[in-house]
Amino acid sequence: MDAKQPHQLTRKGRATRQRILTIAAAQMFRNGVAGTTTDDLQRVGGISPSQIYHYFGDKKSLVKAVIAVQTESVLRIQGPLLSRLDSFEALEAWRDAIVDLQQARRFEGGCPLGSLAAELADHDAEARADLAAGFARWEAAIRDGLVAMRDRGELSPDADPDALALAMLTAVQGGMLMTQIRHDTVALRTVLDAVIDRIRVHIRA
């Protein structure tokens, strides 16, 4: 059965599709993709298998939609900070926001995109590509702020925003994993501080 595209749906249909997607994203974040079945969705949200097939076609398409919604969610939550990540004060505020978010989650779940990547990247090439694109958008937002700092002369010309942004995003992912393992944010804050200190090396005298 072919899935209905959002533009083909009525307003009520779009709302139903979004509700399924929201519940599926929450369940996959909590239990993983493999650990989320149609029976789980029916039990938790009263979602019938026929509704899933009607709106998404199959589970693989549902997972693809979950990747998209989680990408938008991560970028939206961090958006106000990411959009002006062009000073050390802003970098520190962003660091604090990430640490506070993990504390609010009680150190569970890690990164919504990172958790999906850990489960899917080795086995689903299409999902890996979608996740890589999501991470690329996140990395670009960090890089844009560093480019702005360099262009204003706050960082020296030899600063490499591409490498520094990649290091920062990698630190976020590794730090969030350690947060899950340790059930504290010490490692997360430590590694983010280390990358910020590495950026400080390029402060223009």
Side-chain angles (χ1 to χ4, degrees):
M1 181 185 298
D2 292 332
K4 296 289 186 181
Q5 298 303 310
H7 70 272
Q8 298 175 310
L9 301 172
T10 63
R11 183 168 60 181
K12 182 179 178 180
R14 288 193 296 272
T16 300
R17 183 183 186 277
Q18 185 60 44
R19 176 175 173 273
I20 294 170
L21 190 51
T22 299
I23 293 171
Q27 287 298 111
M28 290 180 187
F29 182 57
R30 185 177 300 112
N31 302 319
V33 173
T36 300
T37 66
T38 53
D39 287 343
D40 294 326
L41 298 179
Q42 187 165 19
R43 174 178 51 80
V44 172
I47 301 165
S48 68
S50 63
Q51 285 180 304
I52 295 173
Y53 295 131
H54 176 73
Y55 291 107
F56 297 97
D58 54 25
K59 186 177 180 180
K60 184 173 183 178
S61 296
L62 176 60
V63 171
K64 183 179 179 68
V66 165
I67 292 171
V69 79
Q70 292 289 42
T71 297
E72 296 304 325
S73 176
V74 166
L75 295 176
R76 183 179 65 253
I77 289 170
Q78 298 183 34
L81 292 171
L82 285 175
S83 65
R84 56 177 187 273
L85 204 63
D86 59 352
S87 69
F88 285 104
E89 291 79 7
L91 287 168
E92 290 166 353
W94 179 60
R95 173 206 60 199
D96 291 344
I98 292 173
V99 169
D100 290 347
L101 179 60
Q102 293 309 103
Q103 290 174 333
R105 288 174 174 166
R106 299 183 179 181
F107 319 116
E108 297 178 352
C111 171
L113 292 183
S115 298
L116 288 168
E119 185 174 1
L120 298 171
D122 288 343
H123 311 292
D124 188 329
E126 186 176 343
R128 188 195 65 79
D130 288 344
L131 287 159
F135 279 117
R137 290 175 59 192
W138 195 351
E139 182 183 339
I142 302 170
R143 181 175 62 249
D144 288 347
L146 298 175
V147 168
M149 293 173 72
R150 188 183 63 182
D151 289 348
R152 288 199 307 263
E154 295 173 17
L155 299 179
S156 60
D158 66 347
D160 185 345
D162 291 317
L164 293 170
L166 180 58
M168 182 65 81
L169 182 56
T170 303
V172 170
Q173 293 303 306
M176 285 187 175
L177 176 60
M178 291 300 290
T179 294
Q180 285 182 275
I181 295 169
R182 293 168 53 98
H183 266 216
D184 64 44
T185 56
V186 174
L188 176 60
R189 179 175 288 275
T190 298
V191 72
L192 293 180
D193 281 344
V195 179
I196 292 173
D197 286 345
R198 182 68 185 86
I199 297 170
R200 288 187 194 280
V201 170
H202 296 282
I203 292 178
R204 194 165 188 173

